[in-house]
Amino acid sequence: MKRKVLLIYTGGTIGMEKNYATGSLQAFDFGNIFEKLPEINMLECEVSVYPFRKPLDSSDMGPKEWKIIANYIGKNYENYDGFLILHGTDTMAYSASALSFMLKNLRKPVIFTGSQLPIGDLRTDAKENLLTSLYYASLYENDEAVIQEVAVYFEYKLLRGNRTLKYSAEHFDAFQSPNYAQLGISGVHLNVEKEYLWRAPSDAEFSVDAHTSQNVLFWRIFPGMHLNHFVEIPNVKVLVLQVFGSGTIFNTEKTKEILQNLRKNGTEIVVISQCVSGGISFGKYSNSNIFAEIGAISGNDITAESAITKAMHLLDNPKYTGTFAENFAKNLCGEVTAN
């Protein structure tokens, strides 16, 4: 039985080709992908293509586009066995994280991939990334999808989408998942580390919740920073604060006063680490006690991309009961290590 995969092309380097008249890159007609990459026809899956009307640079991808993708997957969920999203690399981790929260209780694979070089380039990484992603998107055992979550495939590695970050602008091996194991490795054999795969509750039904609030601000502190900038924040509802190490910040009365005033004005403060690996641990050092005292939320070992999109999804979302802090502390779909 041939599995059916829906390929959603949003834009990015993977869909570019060189215009030899101008020397610049331009998007090609992705409806012709089977001519550009005839190897697709050799796969044991049927591929349908849905290209964005106007291919977007990944820097233009945001909540509007996340909703379009999520709702289109929801609309076609029963018609396909898997979904592949071709996306620019710069914001892929944001989009993958956002989709992981929007697509509730997945039972099918949703794979993101892209490339560092255009598909027509002689040394391109696009072909391997695309072809192997299709394998993962159509991988079934005993009539059940092996991957049942949003994942990123890049340079022989399958990673959980909401654990992924882009760490290189020029290496083919551009993505990492520093706080979670790889879901799979592509070599001579297509390997899957099944013990690390996410599974939704068995009695939960798939649904799409594309709610997004943009009243979220991300701020990275640095030595010598004037915290008076926080006083000028115009009633932001959630501040994702990226601090030092395992959760430290300047140990001054002024710091405490300013952060307390933010909390009194109703701002939720989510604390995440600037370190790529590891996470937040309130109380480990005295300079982190301030966050427990003001009722800030520990982001644990969540990535910045996942923290931001999770906050955007949860804020003012009527489908969640309980407080924002209670819901953010939960491990919703494998985005954080459970305490």
Side-chain angles (χ1 to χ4, degrees):
M1 172 185 176
K2 273 197 171 186
R3 295 291 171 180
K4 297 176 66 177
V5 176
L6 177 61
L7 187 158
I8 301 173
Y9 171 62
T10 68
T13 301
I14 194 168
M16 297 290 181
E17 62 183 353
K18 192 170 185 178
N19 183 322
Y20 289 97
T22 65
S24 60
L25 294 175
Q26 63 184 28
F28 69 83
D29 180 2
F30 227 83
N32 297 327
I33 184 60
F34 300 102
E35 298 175 14
K36 185 72 66 174
L37 197 59
E39 293 92 333
I40 291 178
N41 297 309
M42 299 171 64
L43 299 175
E44 293 184 7
C45 63
E46 297 178 12
V47 181
S48 300
V49 178
Y50 170 69
F52 271 27
R53 187 172 302 170
K54 180 183 177 183
L56 296 176
D57 186 276
S58 67
S59 60
D60 289 320
M61 294 289 291
K64 176 184 174 183
E65 290 72 31
W66 301 339
K67 291 178 183 180
I68 290 172
I69 297 170
N71 287 325
Y72 198 74
I73 289 175
K75 178 182 176 182
N76 290 278
Y77 188 75
E78 298 301 328
N79 300 324
Y80 292 91
D81 300 294
F83 302 87
L84 173 59
I85 302 167
L86 302 187
H87 194 290
T89 59
D90 287 344
T91 64
M92 187 186 297
Y94 289 93
S95 296
S97 295
L99 265 290
S100 75
F101 300 120
M102 292 179 171
L103 301 174
K104 307 292 187 188
N105 306 312
L106 270 172
R107 296 283 186 271
K108 298 178 180 181
V110 175
I111 312 295
F112 277 79
T113 198
S115 66
Q116 296 286 64
L117 290 175
I119 201 165
D121 195 280
L122 181 63
R123 297 178 53 249
T124 187
D125 55 332
K127 292 184 179 181
E128 196 283 324
N129 286 348
L130 195 158
L131 292 171
T132 305
S133 292
L134 285 172
Y135 269 113
Y136 277 119
S138 59
L139 188 60
Y140 273 65
E141 290 181 358
N142 301 320
D143 208 33
E144 179 180 81
V146 174
I147 313 299
Q148 299 184 14
E149 58 182 285
V150 178
V152 168
Y153 178 78
F154 218 89
E155 189 65 8
Y156 309 116
K157 296 186 297 188
L158 185 70
L159 310 172
R160 176 162 297 160
N162 56 35
R163 292 284 198 153
T164 301
L165 55 86
K166 183 179 180 183
Y167 82 100
S168 176
E170 59 180 39
H171 294 157
F172 285 147
D173 186 12
F175 287 86
Q176 286 186 348
S177 175
N179 287 323
Y180 198 73
Q182 298 173 7
L183 304 184
I185 301 175
S186 170
V188 175
H189 302 287
L190 197 67
N191 296 318
V192 177
E193 304 296 336
K194 294 183 179 179
E195 66 270 30
Y196 298 121
L197 297 176
W198 177 260
R199 287 293 184 266
S202 58
D203 59 345
E205 293 186 4
F206 170 77
S207 64
V208 176
D209 177 4
H211 173 89
T212 306
S213 171
Q214 292 176 245
N215 204 342
V216 173
L217 180 66
F218 175 81
W219 208 304
R220 180 184 174 101
I221 66 164
F222 56 88
M225 170 184 169
H226 291 296
L227 287 182
N228 285 333
H229 292 308
F230 288 146
V231 180
E232 302 165 8
I233 297 174
N235 302 319
V236 65
K237 287 194 173 183
V238 178
L239 172 64
V240 179
L241 193 61
Q242 195 176 44
V243 303
F244 308 126
S246 58
T248 59
I249 196 171
F250 327 118
N251 187 20
T252 67
E253 285 301 315
K254 186 66 172 177
T255 300
K256 187 173 181 180
E257 177 188 343
I258 290 174
L259 294 180
Q260 279 181 328
N261 286 335
L262 277 175
R263 295 288 294 119
K264 287 177 183 177
N265 290 334
T267 299
E268 297 283 2
I269 299 176
V270 175
V271 182
I272 66 172
S273 177
Q274 294 179 10
C275 298
V276 171
S277 180
I280 296 298
S281 179
F282 291 163
K284 184 175 181 179
Y285 297 100
S286 60
N287 279 34
S288 68
N289 290 335
I290 183 174
F291 294 120
E293 292 172 15
I294 66 171
I297 305 163
S298 171
N300 200 338
D301 61 355
I302 198 169
T303 65
E305 294 88 342
S306 195
I308 292 165
T309 54
K310 184 177 183 178
M312 294 171 77
H313 179 67
L314 290 176
L315 182 59
D316 297 329
N317 191 328
K319 294 186 179 180
Y320 286 84
T321 59
T323 66
F324 174 89
E326 290 169 342
N327 289 317
F328 195 95
K330 295 176 182 177
N331 182 18
L332 300 179
C333 48
E335 73 280 4
V336 67
T337 302
N339 291 318

